[in-house]
Amino acid sequence: MLAWISRGARSPAAQHLKVVSGPIAGREPSALLGFLAGEFAADIAVLWPAPHTPFLVADAARRHLACLALTLRSGGVRHALEGPFKRAVRALAPASPAGLVRALGRLGETAWSPEDYQLPLGRLADPAASKALHHADAISTRKVRVLATLPAGIVAAGEGRFLLTEDQSALLAECYDGVARRDGVRAASDFARRWAQAASPAALFERVSGDVAPQSSAPPHPGMARLVPLDTRKALADAGRRYHNCLAGRVLDGWNHYYEWLGSPGAIVSISRDHLFGWRLNEALGVQNAILPAETRSQIETELWEMDVHLGRSAWQLRDLVDCAARDAFALPPCTEAVNEAFGA
């Protein structure tokens, strides 16, 4: 015969659930217990045999405390459901950080895994992460995993408020560590505070993208009358819009630089550092990466020669050819092929 056990129950999850009344042979966990207690169901069934009423009608915070006590292998797990709650927490998790009592009431209705129960203990011991958890209306495994992944500098800056995935938080941590290695911990903390001011995860990662990019460096040559450098990110973005290409995503990293050909038709000319030739032509294309007329190409080549920019094979192309040169069938391709390729031909 079915009977409601939720009259007077404190747990929202138990208020509309039915269990079989009367004695049940053995200590196998019921389906309801399996749902609420998860991996701890078998141990809970031993402590509170079927119909498991004391555990099922307990509020979620006490059920979580019982599961946490099993995780910590504390003795007297039954005390999780007895007496004043704060006293039970102190008895079963004596080394727990401040804030655990409050946090246990926000972990949801179902038990976490043993591994996940360890995470709040570590995060609550960290002042920045503890603050983020303290202000959370609900604490999910996702949230504590993210907080466990993020460096303290990022959490302190406030990125913990974003609902990031574990993969997103891991990527953010890598970016932060990289900036710290490049610019120092203090500068990384400044970056993190600026990231935290973003209005959304999308805006956050847009800021991160800009900050992990190499700092801009001056172009290797001031340019010529009709070949002028694009020497700022703003100039690159503006040229990208006008030429309908991907310049907006490029950076001035000291290895690649960009110039605009002011003739008609216009063109974007990119040059790259080469350990043999210094600087060499990498690419020269028009609007929407169009191939330039022969006359325009010739004019650009002339100004590049005057800038001492190499037009021809790169060092790595030469190495590839050298690796093949000992073969009897080796044939040296014309050097003009490399130049034609740079002009999209």
Coordinates of all heavy atoms in Angstrom, one line a residue, residues 214-253:
P214 N 50.6 39.6 -29.1 CA 51.9 40.3 -28.9 C 51.7 41.8 -28.9 O 50.8 42.3 -29.5 CB 52.7 39.9 -30.1 CG 52.1 38.6 -30.6 CD 50.7 38.7 -30.3
Q215 N 52.5 42.5 -28.1 CA 52.4 43.9 -28.0 C 52.9 44.5 -29.4 O 53.8 43.9 -30.0 CB 53.3 44.5 -26.9 CG 52.8 43.9 -25.5 CD 51.4 44.3 -25.2 OE1 51.0 45.4 -25.2 NE2 50.6 43.3 -24.9
S216 N 52.3 45.5 -29.8 CA 52.6 46.1 -31.1 C 54.1 46.6 -31.2 O 54.6 47.0 -30.2 CB 51.7 47.3 -31.4 OG 50.4 46.8 -31.6
S217 N 54.7 46.4 -32.3 CA 56.0 46.8 -32.5 C 56.1 47.7 -33.7 O 55.3 47.6 -34.6 CB 57.0 45.7 -32.7 OG 56.7 44.9 -33.8
A218 N 57.1 48.6 -33.8 CA 57.2 49.5 -34.9 C 57.5 48.8 -36.2 O 58.2 47.8 -36.2 CB 58.3 50.6 -34.6
P219 N 57.1 49.3 -37.3 CA 57.4 48.6 -38.6 C 58.9 48.7 -38.9 O 59.5 49.7 -38.4 CB 56.5 49.4 -39.6 CG 56.3 50.7 -39.0 CD 56.2 50.5 -37.5
P220 N 59.4 47.8 -39.6 CA 60.9 47.8 -39.9 C 61.3 48.9 -40.8 O 62.5 49.2 -40.9 CB 61.1 46.4 -40.5 CG 59.8 46.1 -41.1 CD 58.8 46.6 -40.2
H221 N 60.3 49.5 -41.6 CA 60.7 50.6 -42.5 C 59.5 51.6 -42.5 O 58.4 51.2 -42.4 CB 60.8 50.0 -43.9 CG 61.5 50.9 -44.9 ND1 60.8 52.0 -45.5 CD2 62.8 51.0 -45.4 CE1 61.6 52.6 -46.3 NE2 62.8 52.0 -46.3
P222 N 59.9 52.9 -42.5 CA 58.8 53.9 -42.5 C 57.9 54.0 -43.7 O 56.9 54.7 -43.7 CB 59.6 55.2 -42.3 CG 61.0 54.9 -42.9 CD 61.2 53.5 -42.6
G223 N 58.3 53.2 -44.8 CA 57.5 53.2 -46.0 C 58.0 54.1 -47.0 O 59.0 54.8 -46.9
M224 N 57.3 54.1 -48.1 CA 57.6 55.0 -49.3 C 56.4 55.9 -49.6 O 55.4 55.9 -48.9 CB 57.9 54.1 -50.5 CG 59.0 53.0 -50.2 SD 60.7 53.8 -49.9 CE 61.1 54.2 -51.6
A225 N 56.6 56.6 -50.7 CA 55.5 57.6 -51.0 C 54.2 56.9 -51.1 O 53.1 57.5 -50.7 CB 55.9 58.4 -52.3
R226 N 54.1 55.8 -51.8 CA 52.8 55.1 -52.1 C 52.7 53.8 -51.3 O 51.7 53.1 -51.5 CB 52.6 54.9 -53.6 CG 52.4 56.2 -54.3 CD 52.1 55.9 -55.8 NE 53.3 55.3 -56.5 CZ 53.3 54.9 -57.7 NH1 52.2 55.0 -58.5 NH2 54.4 54.4 -58.3
L227 N 53.6 53.5 -50.4 CA 53.6 52.3 -49.6 C 53.8 52.6 -48.2 O 54.9 52.8 -47.7 CB 54.7 51.3 -50.1 CG 54.5 49.8 -49.7 CD1 53.2 49.3 -50.2 CD2 55.7 49.0 -50.2
V228 N 52.6 52.8 -47.4 CA 52.7 53.4 -46.1 C 52.4 52.3 -45.1 O 51.5 51.4 -45.3 CB 51.7 54.5 -45.9 CG1 52.1 55.7 -46.9 CG2 50.3 54.1 -46.2
P229 N 53.0 52.3 -43.9 CA 52.8 51.3 -42.9 C 51.4 51.4 -42.2 O 50.9 52.5 -42.0 CB 53.9 51.5 -41.9 CG 54.2 52.9 -42.0 CD 54.0 53.3 -43.5
L230 N 50.8 50.2 -41.9 CA 49.6 50.2 -41.0 C 50.2 49.8 -39.7 O 50.4 48.6 -39.4 CB 48.7 49.1 -41.6 CG 48.1 49.3 -43.0 CD1 47.4 48.1 -43.5 CD2 47.2 50.6 -43.0
D231 N 50.4 50.8 -38.8 CA 51.2 50.6 -37.6 C 50.5 50.5 -36.3 O 51.1 50.6 -35.3 CB 52.3 51.6 -37.6 CG 51.8 53.1 -37.7 OD1 50.5 53.2 -37.7 OD2 52.6 54.0 -37.7
T232 N 49.2 50.5 -36.4 CA 48.4 50.3 -35.2 C 47.2 49.3 -35.4 O 46.9 49.0 -36.6 CB 47.7 51.6 -34.7 OG1 46.7 52.0 -35.7 CG2 48.7 52.7 -34.6
R233 N 46.7 48.7 -34.3 CA 45.6 47.8 -34.5 C 44.4 48.5 -35.1 O 43.7 47.9 -35.9 CB 45.2 47.2 -33.1 CG 46.2 46.3 -32.5 CD 45.7 45.7 -31.2 NE 46.7 44.9 -30.6 CZ 46.6 44.3 -29.4 NH1 45.5 44.6 -28.7 NH2 47.6 43.6 -28.9
K234 N 44.2 49.7 -34.8 CA 43.1 50.5 -35.4 C 43.3 50.6 -36.9 O 42.3 50.5 -37.6 CB 43.0 51.9 -34.7 CG 41.8 52.7 -35.2 CD 41.7 54.0 -34.4 CE 40.5 54.8 -34.9 NZ 40.5 55.1 -36.3
A235 N 44.5 50.9 -37.3 CA 44.8 51.0 -38.7 C 44.5 49.7 -39.4 O 44.0 49.6 -40.6 CB 46.2 51.5 -38.9
L236 N 44.9 48.6 -38.8 CA 44.7 47.3 -39.4 C 43.2 47.0 -39.5 O 42.8 46.5 -40.5 CB 45.4 46.2 -38.5 CG 46.9 46.1 -38.6 CD1 47.4 45.0 -37.6 CD2 47.3 45.7 -40.0
A237 N 42.5 47.3 -38.4 CA 41.0 47.0 -38.5 C 40.3 47.8 -39.5 O 39.5 47.4 -40.2 CB 40.4 47.3 -37.1
D238 N 40.8 49.1 -39.6 CA 40.2 50.0 -40.6 C 40.5 49.5 -42.0 O 39.6 49.4 -42.9 CB 40.7 51.4 -40.5 CG 40.2 52.3 -41.6 OD1 39.0 52.6 -41.6 OD2 41.0 52.8 -42.4
A239 N 41.7 49.1 -42.3 CA 42.1 48.5 -43.6 C 41.3 47.2 -43.9 O 40.9 47.0 -45.0 CB 43.6 48.3 -43.7
G240 N 41.1 46.4 -42.8 CA 40.4 45.2 -43.0 C 39.0 45.4 -43.5 O 38.5 44.7 -44.3
R241 N 38.4 46.4 -43.0 CA 37.0 46.8 -43.4 C 37.0 47.3 -44.8 O 36.1 46.9 -45.6 CB 36.4 47.8 -42.4 CG 36.0 47.3 -41.1 CD 35.2 48.3 -40.3 NE 36.0 49.4 -39.9 CZ 36.7 49.6 -38.8 NH1 36.7 48.6 -38.0 NH2 37.4 50.6 -38.6
R242 N 37.9 48.1 -45.2 CA 38.0 48.7 -46.5 C 38.3 47.7 -47.6 O 37.8 47.8 -48.7 CB 38.9 49.9 -46.5 CG 38.4 51.1 -45.7 CD 39.4 52.3 -45.9 NE 40.6 52.2 -45.2 CZ 41.8 52.0 -45.8 NH1 41.8 51.9 -47.2 NH2 42.9 51.9 -45.2
Y243 N 39.2 46.8 -47.2 CA 39.7 45.8 -48.2 C 38.9 44.4 -48.1 O 39.2 43.5 -48.9 CB 41.2 45.5 -48.1 CG 42.0 46.7 -48.7 CD1 42.3 47.8 -48.0 CD2 42.5 46.6 -50.0 CE1 43.0 48.8 -48.5 CE2 43.2 47.6 -50.6 CZ 43.5 48.7 -49.8 OH 44.2 49.7 -50.4
H244 N 38.0 44.4 -47.1 CA 37.2 43.1 -46.9 C 38.1 41.9 -46.8 O 37.9 40.9 -47.5 CB 36.2 43.0 -48.1 CG 35.3 44.1 -48.3 ND1 34.3 44.4 -47.4 CD2 35.3 45.1 -49.2 CE1 33.6 45.5 -47.9 NE2 34.3 46.0 -48.9
N245 N 39.0 42.0 -45.9 CA 39.9 40.8 -45.7 C 40.0 40.6 -44.1 O 39.3 41.2 -43.4 CB 41.3 41.0 -46.3 CG 42.0 42.3 -45.9 OD1 41.8 42.8 -44.8 ND2 42.8 42.8 -46.7
C246 N 41.0 39.8 -43.7 CA 41.1 39.4 -42.3 C 42.1 40.2 -41.5 O 42.6 39.7 -40.5 CB 41.4 37.9 -42.2 SG 43.0 37.4 -43.1
L247 N 42.5 41.4 -42.0 CA 43.5 42.2 -41.3 C 43.1 42.5 -39.9 O 43.9 42.7 -39.0 CB 43.7 43.5 -42.1 CG 44.8 43.5 -43.2 CD1 44.9 44.9 -43.8 CD2 46.1 43.0 -42.6
A248 N 41.8 42.6 -39.6 CA 41.3 43.1 -38.3 C 41.8 42.1 -37.2 O 42.0 42.5 -36.0 CB 39.8 43.2 -38.2
G249 N 42.0 40.8 -37.6 CA 42.4 39.8 -36.6 C 44.0 39.7 -36.5 O 44.5 38.9 -35.7
R250 N 44.7 40.5 -37.3 CA 46.2 40.4 -37.3 C 46.8 41.2 -36.1 O 46.1 42.1 -35.6 CB 46.7 40.8 -38.6 CG 46.2 40.0 -39.8 CD 46.6 38.6 -39.8 NE 46.0 37.9 -40.9 CZ 46.5 37.8 -42.1 NH1 47.6 38.4 -42.4 NH2 45.9 37.1 -43.1
V251 N 48.0 40.9 -35.8 CA 48.7 41.7 -34.8 C 50.1 42.1 -35.3 O 50.6 41.5 -36.3 CB 48.9 40.8 -33.5 CG1 47.6 40.5 -32.9 CG2 49.7 39.5 -33.8
L252 N 50.6 43.2 -34.7 CA 51.9 43.7 -35.1 C 52.9 43.1 -34.1 O 53.2 43.7 -33.1 CB 51.9 45.2 -35.1 CG 50.8 45.8 -36.0 CD1 50.7 47.3 -35.8 CD2 51.2 45.5 -37.5
D253 N 53.4 42.0 -34.4 CA 54.2 41.2 -33.4 C 55.7 41.3 -33.6 O 56.5 40.6 -32.9 CB 53.8 39.8 -33.4 CG 53.9 39.1 -34.7 OD1 54.4 39.8 -35.7 OD2 53.5 38.0 -34.9

